[in-house]
Amino acid sequence: MFTLEDIDGVEIDRRAALYGPLADAVRELIDATIRTETDADVIRDVEATVRAATTRLRDRQIDGAYGVRFTPDGTGMPWGNAVVGLRNPIAPPLDIERDEDGRHHSRFTLGAAYEGPPGHVHGGVCALVLDHLLGMTASPGDKPNFTGTLTLRYRRATPLGPLHAEARIDRVEGVKTFVVGTLSDAEGVTVEAEGVFITPAWARD
Ligand SMILES: CCCCCCCC(=O)SCCNC(=O)CCNC(=O)[C@H](O)C(C)(C)COP(=O)(O)OP(=O)(O)OC[C@H]1O[C@@H](n2cnc3c(N)ncnc32)[C@H](O)[C@@H]1OP(=O)(O)O
C-alpha cells in the first residue's frame, strides 16, 4: 500500500511534531511496563488509565495499517514501519544514514523490549533490523527491492544497549541485488548478514 499524500514539508513537520512524541511516550510506557515493581494497586490503576487513553485514540482511526505514504516531491513517510516508523512505538526507531558511496548505517539502542536470551537482543529482532537496513541499501532509487532471501550468521550474542549496523551493495545481477551487512556492539561484529533483494515483477522495466 504505497499512497500519495498531497502535503508539503510544513505539514509533514507539524504531523511529526504531533505523533513523534506520542510514540516516544508509548515506548517509555512499554519499557516501564516490563520493568516496574511498583505496588499492585498502582499497576491496576495504570492499566485503567492506559485502557482509557486507548479508547480516546480509537475515537477516530484509519482502517487497517498505516501503509507507506509519499508526498508529491517524493518524501517518504513510512511512519507505521516496524523498524523506522515515527508513529510506531514497536520501532526502536532506527535513524538510517546514507553515505555518498551508497553504504547505509545506523546507531541505535535496543532496551528491555527487544530481549531474547537474558540481557541480550532476540535473534528475530537482529533479523528485523538487518532486513530493513539491507532492504533500504538495496533500494537506493525509486524502485523497491523486496527481501527474497536473508541469511544471518550469529557470531555471538548481541547485548542489549547501544548498537551499530551497516550495509552495502555487494553486486547487482539483473533484478537481483546482493547486499551484505553487520550488526555490532562496542566490541565488534555480533551478526553478519547477506541478502538477495529482488525487484518485484510489477516494478520492472
Ligand atoms: C524501501 C526500503 C524498505 C525496506 C523493507 C525491508 C525489506 C522487507 O522486509 S521486504 C518484505 C519481505 N519480503 C517479501 O515479502 C517478498 C515476498 N516475495 C515476493 O514478493 C517475490 O517472491 C519476489 C519479489 C521476492 C520475487 O519475485 P518473483 O516474481 O517470484 O521473481 P522471479 O521473476 O520468479 O525471479 C527473479 C529472479 O529472482 C530469483 N528469486 C526469486 N525468488 C527468490 C528468493 N526468494 N530468493 C532468492 N532468489 C529468488 C529467481 O531465481 C530469479 O533469478 P534469475 O533471474 O537468476 O532466474
Side-chain angles (χ1 to χ4, degrees):
M1 189 168 57
F2 293 92
T3 49
L4 184 69
E5 281 236 25
D6 193 7
I7 57 173
D8 61 14
V10 174
E11 177 59 11
I12 294 176
D13 291 347
R14 187 194 70 77
R15 293 187 191 184
L18 181 64
Y19 294 114
L22 172 63
D24 278 344
V26 177
R27 273 183 207 107
E28 283 187 46
L29 179 65
I30 291 170
D31 186 77
T33 300
I34 295 168
R35 297 166 59 199
T36 187
E37 299 207 313
T38 194
D39 296 343
D41 57 338
V42 175
I43 290 173
R44 289 190 196 98
D45 189 38
V46 170
E47 179 197 336
T49 303
V50 171
R51 288 190 190 281
T54 303
T55 300
R56 290 183 67 193
L57 290 175
R58 289 209 189 283
D59 179 43
R60 266 184 294 140
Q61 65 176 16
I62 57 174
D63 289 333
Y66 189 81
V68 177
R69 306 182 188 192
F70 285 90
T71 64
D73 71 359
T75 304
M77 293 188 294
W79 288 0
N81 183 279
V83 179
V84 295
L86 178 141
R87 285 183 64 162
N88 187 347
I90 303 296
L94 259 62
D95 184 12
I96 296 174
E97 291 180 41
R98 180 181 190 278
D99 291 343
E100 280 179 8
D101 64 2
R103 283 170 192 262
H104 285 62
H105 51 93
S106 181
R107 289 194 180 280
F108 54 95
T109 297
L110 296 180
Y114 303 99
E115 185 172 56
H120 292 81
V121 182
H122 195 291
V125 173
C126 298
L128 173 77
V129 165
L130 285 163
D131 178 41
H132 189 88
L133 183 71
L134 269 63
M136 272 195 72
T137 306
S139 309
D142 52 5
K143 265 189 194 163
N145 283 320
F146 292 151
T147 320
T149 300
L150 182 67
T151 307
L152 301 178
R153 182 182 171 94
Y154 293 86
R155 282 168 44 164
R156 62 185 167 85
T158 303
L160 294 171
L163 298 168
H164 174 249
E166 59 185 56
R168 65 174 173 81
I169 292 178
D170 182 50
R171 64 191 189 282
V172 179
E173 293 175 8
V175 297
K176 295 182 289 189
T177 301
F178 295 78
V179 184
V180 293
T182 53
L183 179 63
S184 306
D185 67 1
E187 309 303 317
V189 172
T190 59
V191 185
E192 295 169 339
E194 293 175 11
V196 186
F197 293 81
I198 300 165
T199 312
W202 55 264
R204 292 174 200 165
D205 292 328

